[in-house]
Amino acid sequence: MVAVEIPSLVLKSSTAQRRMPVIGMGSAPDFTCKSDTREAIIEAIKQGDRHFDTAAAYGSEQALGEAIKEAIEVGLVSREELFVTSKLWCTDNHPHLVASALRKSLRTLQLEYLDLYLIHWPICAKPGKFSFPIDAEELMPLNLKGIWGALEECQRLGLAKAIGVSNFSIKKLENLLSFATIPPAVNQVEMNLAWQQKNLRDFCKANDIIITAFSPLRKGASRGPNEAMDNDVVKDIADAHGKSSAQVCLRWLYEQGVTFLPKSYNKERMNQNLQIFNWSLTEEDYENISQIKQQRLISGPTKPQLKDLYDEEN
């Protein structure tokens, strides 16, 4: 199988204009270091994947680190060719804990630096034991200015080539941009055909912030019908192009100029997800896609949910 060459985007506020491959491999959640996770990552590297997304909260940093180490040792890839993202969990969302949390992720990943480090949620919880969901009684005021200053220092020290955020609304990004010395390079958010995020996309584009879409193929039947993959509009477009529904979902994201993180451990589906760069959606496709009902899937990491987490934006 010939490895696919994947396009990339420049992170404007990164060190040395780091490039981010448009498609990456998601790894959330994986609460044990499973051998199949490690093997799937090595297979993804063989197929051409160079962008891998993890987080302290996912439990997959160890497996990713082991896979990267093995892939480098056997000569599949060099560290410089890889793009690795991890994230700062809410219990470490305190200015004095940022650097130590990042260094801990680096130790677990067996890496000297991250390509991108993100604030996982715009939420601060009491330091200590990881729990999910977070009990609302554990929440504390978020010192975003202090946290961002600590992240900027991590980038200056070379611990991360770029810094960014995840699950930030336009309002929260505006606040961050008002004091950031190094602007966020990325905002990782839920985005898919059933949650298209047009206003947020427009804002991020105007401010040189690249969006990374998680849940690009939506969730499966465990939470009801998959409003992206199982949508009749998507199925009809897929049939017309001789493609899969997943390929239509990912091609649409690619055409929006965003990056995206499908998660598959299946060899054939991995390869299928990479076959989206040599064809295009039509104007009629776009007209039909615009009719898809919009509804957010991911409501947040707390219990009960916070009503103002996304600032009522859509």
Side-chain angles (χ1 to χ4, degrees):
M1 188 179 292
V2 179
V4 175
E5 192 167 330
I6 297 169
S8 60
L9 300 175
V10 174
L11 301 183
K12 294 291 177 65
S13 60
S14 63
T15 303
Q17 298 284 281
R18 192 78 175 97
R19 297 191 74 91
M20 181 186 207
V22 297
I23 186 168
M25 183 179 184
S27 62
D30 179 26
F31 294 106
T32 60
C33 186
K34 297 176 184 173
S35 61
D36 62 344
T37 303
R38 188 165 59 250
E39 289 158 11
I41 292 163
I42 291 170
E43 175 61 32
I45 290 172
K46 288 178 181 176
Q47 294 199 19
D49 261 319
R50 296 293 181 264
H51 174 184
F52 296 91
D53 181 89
T54 185
Y58 294 168
S60 57
E61 286 182 328
Q62 184 185 342
L64 176 56
E66 290 176 3
I68 289 172
K69 183 182 180 186
E70 183 177 333
I72 291 172
E73 285 176 349
V74 301
L76 281 176
V77 71
S78 68
R79 171 65 184 97
E80 292 70 31
E81 292 175 88
L82 295 174
F83 190 101
V84 182
T85 301
S86 195
K87 307 181 191 77
L88 179 74
W89 186 240
C90 305
T91 48
D92 290 317
N93 250 352
H94 304 268
H96 69 290
L97 296 179
V98 171
S100 59
L102 173 47
R103 289 180 192 277
K104 183 179 179 183
S105 285
L106 289 174
R107 286 194 300 274
T108 307
L109 286 158
Q110 304 180 68
L111 298 176
E112 293 183 1
Y113 65 89
L114 288 172
D115 298 279
L116 178 64
Y117 195 50
L118 306 177
I119 297 174
H120 204 149
W121 290 94
I123 291 171
C124 178
K126 292 176 185 175
K129 189 178 177 183
F130 170 81
S131 63
F132 188 89
I134 301 166
D135 191 318
E137 292 180 359
E138 295 290 305
L139 298 181
M140 299 175 65
L142 179 72
N143 177 4
L144 184 59
K145 191 170 184 178
I147 294 162
W148 193 254
L151 280 166
E152 290 181 335
E153 181 61 18
C154 288
Q155 181 167 331
R156 284 190 282 267
L157 290 170
L159 299 175
K161 302 291 185 186
I163 53 176
V165 296
S166 184
N167 301 296
F168 269 52
S169 65
I170 292 172
K171 182 178 178 182
K172 289 179 172 64
L173 288 171
E174 285 174 333
N175 176 38
L176 175 54
L177 289 168
S178 72
F179 55 74
T181 304
I182 301 173
V186 167
N187 184 21
Q188 186 179 127
V189 295
E190 178 190 344
M191 183 176 162
N192 49 64
L193 285 179
W195 192 242
Q196 295 176 18
Q197 296 269 38
K198 184 179 187 308
N199 293 339
L200 184 63
R201 273 189 281 134
D202 290 346
F203 178 87
C204 287
K205 185 176 181 179
N207 288 277
D208 287 329
I209 301 169
I210 289 174
I211 284 183
T212 297
F214 69 74
S215 299
L217 304 177
R218 203 77 173 190
K219 293 290 183 186
S222 60
R223 302 178 75 166
N226 186 328
E227 299 295 349
M229 294 269 281
D230 297 338
N231 192 290
D232 288 339
V233 168
V234 178
K235 289 179 179 177
D236 288 344
I237 294 171
D239 289 343
H241 287 277
K243 302 294 179 181
S244 69
S245 292
Q247 287 171 321
V248 171
C249 291
L250 298 181
R251 178 68 201 188
W252 179 83
L253 288 164
Y254 176 60
E255 293 186 9
Q256 306 317 304
V258 306
T259 61
F260 38 96
L261 300 167
K263 177 185 175 182
S264 177
Y265 288 2
N266 177 281
K267 187 173 179 178
E268 285 70 34
R269 283 200 296 271
M270 274 185 201
N271 185 257
Q272 194 181 81
N273 289 345
L274 299 177
Q275 306 302 321
I276 61 166
F277 300 116
N278 60 353
W279 58 282
S280 302
L281 296 168
T282 66
E283 287 186 25
E284 184 182 357
D285 294 337
Y286 269 86
E287 180 60 34
N288 292 328
I289 284 169
S290 70
Q291 307 303 314
I292 295 174
K293 180 185 175 184
Q294 297 296 293
Q295 185 174 5
R296 189 189 298 279
L297 182 71
I298 309 299
S299 52
T302 64
K303 186 179 181 180
Q305 301 295 344
L306 302 179
K307 293 181 180 178
D308 62 345
L309 180 59
Y310 299 108
D311 301 304
E312 304 301 321
E313 292 174 10
N314 55 40

mmCIF file of all heavy atoms in Angstrom, residues 16-33:
data_model
loop_
_atom_site.group_PDB
_atom_site.id
_atom_site.type_symbol
_atom_site.label_atom_id
_atom_site.label_comp_id
_atom_site.label_asym_id
_atom_site.label_seq_id
_atom_site.Cartn_x
_atom_site.Cartn_y
_atom_site.Cartn_z
ATOM 1 N N ALA A 16 8.802 28.838 13.988
ATOM 2 C CA ALA A 16 9.323 28.479 12.659
ATOM 3 C C ALA A 16 8.220 28.051 11.688
ATOM 4 O O ALA A 16 8.431 27.194 10.831
ATOM 5 C CB ALA A 16 10.387 27.384 12.779
ATOM 6 N N GLN A 17 7.024 28.670 11.841
ATOM 7 C CA GLN A 17 5.917 28.425 10.898
ATOM 8 C C GLN A 17 5.658 26.922 10.695
ATOM 9 O O GLN A 17 5.688 26.395 9.592
ATOM 10 C CB GLN A 17 6.213 29.092 9.546
ATOM 11 C CG GLN A 17 6.354 30.613 9.622
ATOM 12 C CD GLN A 17 5.009 31.319 9.749
ATOM 13 O OE1 GLN A 17 4.294 31.500 8.792
ATOM 14 N NE2 GLN A 17 4.664 31.727 10.978
ATOM 15 N N ARG A 18 5.415 26.242 11.804
ATOM 16 C CA ARG A 18 5.174 24.793 11.792
ATOM 17 C C ARG A 18 3.962 24.484 10.913
ATOM 18 O O ARG A 18 2.962 25.199 10.930
ATOM 19 C CB ARG A 18 4.920 24.312 13.223
ATOM 20 C CG ARG A 18 4.953 22.792 13.386
ATOM 21 C CD ARG A 18 6.370 22.280 13.412
ATOM 22 N NE ARG A 18 6.436 20.850 13.683
ATOM 23 C CZ ARG A 18 6.558 19.899 12.736
ATOM 24 N NH1 ARG A 18 6.614 20.240 11.468
ATOM 25 N NH2 ARG A 18 6.633 18.631 13.062
ATOM 26 N N ARG A 19 4.060 23.396 10.160
ATOM 27 C CA ARG A 19 2.955 22.957 9.300
ATOM 28 C C ARG A 19 2.195 21.810 9.967
ATOM 29 O O ARG A 19 2.791 20.904 10.553
ATOM 30 C CB ARG A 19 3.472 22.514 7.937
ATOM 31 C CG ARG A 19 4.159 23.634 7.142
ATOM 32 C CD ARG A 19 4.417 23.233 5.716
ATOM 33 N NE ARG A 19 3.180 23.233 4.938
ATOM 34 C CZ ARG A 19 2.730 24.289 4.249
ATOM 35 N NH1 ARG A 19 3.405 25.427 4.248
ATOM 36 N NH2 ARG A 19 1.606 24.211 3.573
ATOM 37 N N MET A 20 0.866 21.859 9.852
ATOM 38 C CA MET A 20 -0.019 20.864 10.465
ATOM 39 C C MET A 20 -0.735 20.080 9.359
ATOM 40 O O MET A 20 -1.466 20.671 8.565
ATOM 41 C CB MET A 20 -1.042 21.594 11.341
ATOM 42 C CG MET A 20 -2.027 20.712 12.069
ATOM 43 S SD MET A 20 -3.260 21.758 12.920
ATOM 44 C CE MET A 20 -3.744 20.685 14.257
ATOM 45 N N PRO A 21 -0.540 18.766 9.263
ATOM 46 C CA PRO A 21 -1.278 17.980 8.274
ATOM 47 C C PRO A 21 -2.787 18.131 8.470
ATOM 48 O O PRO A 21 -3.261 18.139 9.610
ATOM 49 C CB PRO A 21 -0.818 16.544 8.544
ATOM 50 C CG PRO A 21 0.524 16.698 9.204
ATOM 51 C CD PRO A 21 0.409 17.936 10.034
ATOM 52 N N VAL A 22 -3.538 18.239 7.375
ATOM 53 C CA VAL A 22 -4.969 18.551 7.508
ATOM 54 C C VAL A 22 -5.756 17.407 8.149
ATOM 55 O O VAL A 22 -6.763 17.647 8.812
ATOM 56 C CB VAL A 22 -5.608 18.936 6.156
ATOM 57 C CG1 VAL A 22 -4.988 20.204 5.614
ATOM 58 C CG2 VAL A 22 -5.546 17.810 5.142
ATOM 59 N N ILE A 23 -5.307 16.178 7.930
ATOM 60 C CA ILE A 23 -6.006 15.052 8.552
ATOM 61 C C ILE A 23 -5.097 14.429 9.607
ATOM 62 O O ILE A 23 -3.889 14.290 9.395
ATOM 63 C CB ILE A 23 -6.453 14.002 7.502
ATOM 64 C CG1 ILE A 23 -7.324 12.913 8.157
ATOM 65 C CG2 ILE A 23 -5.269 13.395 6.764
ATOM 66 C CD1 ILE A 23 -8.039 12.020 7.144
ATOM 67 N N GLY A 24 -5.672 14.124 10.746
ATOM 68 C CA GLY A 24 -4.925 13.504 11.828
ATOM 69 C C GLY A 24 -5.672 12.300 12.354
ATOM 70 O O GLY A 24 -6.800 12.012 11.944
ATOM 71 N N MET A 25 -5.054 11.599 13.285
ATOM 72 C CA MET A 25 -5.684 10.436 13.908
ATOM 73 C C MET A 25 -6.042 10.778 15.344
ATOM 74 O O MET A 25 -5.179 11.107 16.148
ATOM 75 C CB MET A 25 -4.738 9.240 13.880
ATOM 76 C CG MET A 25 -5.355 7.962 14.440
ATOM 77 S SD MET A 25 -4.189 6.587 14.340
ATOM 78 C CE MET A 25 -5.232 5.243 14.938
ATOM 79 N N GLY A 26 -7.324 10.743 15.655
ATOM 80 C CA GLY A 26 -7.775 10.986 17.016
ATOM 81 C C GLY A 26 -7.571 9.752 17.878
ATOM 82 O O GLY A 26 -7.520 8.629 17.373
ATOM 83 N N SER A 27 -7.496 9.964 19.200
ATOM 84 C CA SER A 27 -7.270 8.819 20.097
ATOM 85 C C SER A 27 -8.060 8.946 21.387
ATOM 86 O O SER A 27 -7.623 8.509 22.434
ATOM 87 C CB SER A 27 -5.781 8.683 20.426
ATOM 88 O OG SER A 27 -5.309 9.824 21.114
ATOM 89 N N ALA A 28 -9.235 9.531 21.323
ATOM 90 C CA ALA A 28 -10.014 9.737 22.540
ATOM 91 C C ALA A 28 -11.242 8.844 22.564
ATOM 92 O O ALA A 28 -11.906 8.685 21.551
ATOM 93 C CB ALA A 28 -10.487 11.186 22.606
ATOM 94 N N PRO A 29 -11.605 8.318 23.752
ATOM 95 C CA PRO A 29 -10.709 8.101 24.885
ATOM 96 C C PRO A 29 -10.198 6.670 24.845
ATOM 97 O O PRO A 29 -10.813 5.803 24.238
ATOM 98 C CB PRO A 29 -11.626 8.325 26.082
ATOM 99 C CG PRO A 29 -12.976 7.839 25.612
ATOM 100 C CD PRO A 29 -13.009 8.059 24.102
ATOM 101 N N ASP A 30 -9.098 6.440 25.506
ATOM 102 C CA ASP A 30 -8.532 5.100 25.575
ATOM 103 C C ASP A 30 -7.867 4.977 26.941
ATOM 104 O O ASP A 30 -6.739 5.369 27.125
ATOM 105 C CB ASP A 30 -7.517 4.892 24.452
ATOM 106 C CG ASP A 30 -6.889 3.508 24.518
ATOM 107 O OD1 ASP A 30 -7.537 2.598 25.061
ATOM 108 O OD2 ASP A 30 -5.757 3.356 24.039
ATOM 109 N N PHE A 31 -8.605 4.478 27.903
ATOM 110 C CA PHE A 31 -8.172 4.559 29.290
ATOM 111 C C PHE A 31 -7.208 3.445 29.709
ATOM 112 O O PHE A 31 -6.839 3.332 30.852
ATOM 113 C CB PHE A 31 -9.387 4.599 30.214
ATOM 114 C CG PHE A 31 -10.190 5.848 30.024
ATOM 115 C CD1 PHE A 31 -11.404 5.811 29.363
ATOM 116 C CD2 PHE A 31 -9.707 7.071 30.448
ATOM 117 C CE1 PHE A 31 -12.138 6.980 29.164
ATOM 118 C CE2 PHE A 31 -10.428 8.245 30.246
ATOM 119 C CZ PHE A 31 -11.642 8.187 29.604
ATOM 120 N N THR A 32 -6.786 2.608 28.752
ATOM 121 C CA THR A 32 -5.713 1.647 29.023
ATOM 122 C C THR A 32 -4.740 1.715 27.855
ATOM 123 O O THR A 32 -5.104 2.072 26.753
ATOM 124 C CB THR A 32 -6.265 0.210 29.137
ATOM 125 O OG1 THR A 32 -6.909 -0.135 27.903
ATOM 126 C CG2 THR A 32 -7.234 0.073 30.286
ATOM 127 N N CYS A 33 -3.515 1.356 28.106
ATOM 128 C CA CYS A 33 -2.506 1.367 27.045
ATOM 129 C C CYS A 33 -2.649 0.073 26.250
ATOM 130 O O CYS A 33 -1.939 -0.903 26.464
ATOM 131 C CB CYS A 33 -1.106 1.510 27.622
ATOM 132 S SG CYS A 33 0.143 1.692 26.350
#
